[in-house]
Amino acid sequence: MKPENQNKNIIVFTGPSLQPTEAKEFLEADYRPPVARDDVIKALRDNPDIIVIIDGVFHKAPAVSHKEIMEAIKKGVIVVGGASMGALRASELDDFGMVGVGRVYHDYRKGIIESDDDVAVVINPETFEQLSEAFISMNYTFKAAMAKGIINKSDFETLIKTAKSIYYPKRNYNKVLKEVNIEEKRKKLLQKFLKDNTIDVKKEDAIAVLKYVKKL
């Protein structure tokens, strides 16, 4: 499928971070579900110029392998990643030619986050709607609350520890607030803050990835 506004064949694997219906506002491309093992190899059959990895499966099926991404790069395909699985793989393969974009990618690159659990969410298998909260987005949101003086550093560290201890399919703000042990007054202020100020860093990065690709 050739993008209408570009002379390039672009394949994008996305889902919960940025739904294809939203993604198309930023880049015309061939949008496919979150990438799984061998999906990049299958995509190569369509002779893409660019492969973009945003979302991918983690636990319910084998994840996209380093080998297949390297195969795409060796064939001259530009492979760009960010936001979620794409950020993780880009941090591992940028020395070999994969391009990483966004804050999540840089956090992986610097070792601030290390595991797939930091970006993993549970999704509706039919719509790819996100049904839990990514730890990385919580991290940025709680940092924003600390910068506003709503919580202190000790609160932030306790919130992060609590969020990390919750198994990713069950991880959400309500559960973290229910389980965290911080002063009740600050907890209520944080709850109010969260109504309108949560940061979806994965979505922001996904958009940044598409804007980057559009300029290629």
Side-chain angles (χ1 to χ4, degrees):
M1 174 180 170
K2 291 283 183 182
E4 295 175 2
N5 62 340
Q6 297 185 41
N7 191 31
K8 291 185 175 72
N9 184 5
I10 305 171
I11 294 174
V12 181
F13 294 98
T14 191
S17 294
L18 187 67
Q19 292 285 335
T21 50
E22 295 179 88
K24 288 175 183 177
E25 297 177 16
F26 301 95
L27 180 73
E28 283 296 325
D30 176 357
Y31 286 96
R32 302 186 182 185
V35 69
R37 182 71 53 86
D38 295 331
D39 281 348
V40 168
I41 296 300
K42 294 173 184 174
L44 290 176
R45 298 171 190 164
D46 295 320
N47 299 312
D49 299 296
I50 303 171
I51 292 176
V52 180
I53 300 175
I54 293 174
D55 291 306
V57 300
F58 286 94
H59 298 137
K60 291 188 176 181
V64 60
S65 69
H66 301 77
K67 184 178 179 180
E68 59 190 296
I69 293 172
M70 289 298 300
E71 182 67 21
I73 293 170
K74 287 177 183 177
K75 289 182 178 296
V77 179
I78 298 171
V79 184
V80 183
S84 190
M85 172 60 83
L88 175 58
R89 285 293 181 262
S91 72
E92 297 163 336
L93 296 173
D94 52 4
D95 288 340
F96 301 95
M98 187 172 178
V99 179
V101 176
R103 290 183 285 178
V104 180
Y105 157 70
H106 286 292
D107 284 350
Y108 272 123
R109 194 75 175 85
K110 295 174 183 175
I112 295 172
I113 55 174
E114 298 179 344
S115 72
D116 55 12
D117 176 74
D118 293 324
V119 294
V121 294
V122 65
I123 64 174
N124 182 316
E126 294 182 1
T127 65
F128 301 116
E129 177 189 2
Q130 184 172 308
L131 302 177
S132 64
E133 192 62 53
F135 173 80
I136 186 66
S137 291
M138 287 185 161
N139 187 29
Y140 274 91
T141 298
F142 294 145
K143 279 182 181 177
M146 182 169 61
K148 293 273 189 181
I150 292 167
I151 56 174
N152 58 35
K153 187 176 181 180
S154 177
D155 295 331
F156 170 77
E157 292 172 350
T158 302
L159 283 158
I160 290 300
K161 185 177 180 180
T162 302
K164 190 69 174 173
S165 71
I166 298 170
Y167 185 40
Y168 81 91
K170 298 181 178 181
R171 189 181 289 143
N172 59 57
Y173 287 107
N174 286 336
K175 189 167 180 61
V176 171
L177 287 176
K178 183 179 179 180
E179 295 188 8
V180 73
N181 183 22
I182 63 174
E183 187 179 291
E184 196 63 32
K185 181 180 178 181
R186 285 201 291 272
K187 188 186 291 189
K188 288 181 179 179
L189 287 172
L190 178 60
Q191 193 170 27
K192 185 177 180 181
F193 173 84
L194 292 174
K195 288 181 179 179
D196 300 305
N197 297 284
T198 55
I199 297 172
D200 189 346
V201 68
K202 289 175 58 176
K203 182 174 182 177
E204 292 175 3
D205 277 7
I207 292 170
V209 169
L210 298 183
K211 287 182 175 179
Y212 172 86
V213 171
K214 191 170 185 178
K215 294 177 181 179
L216 293 178

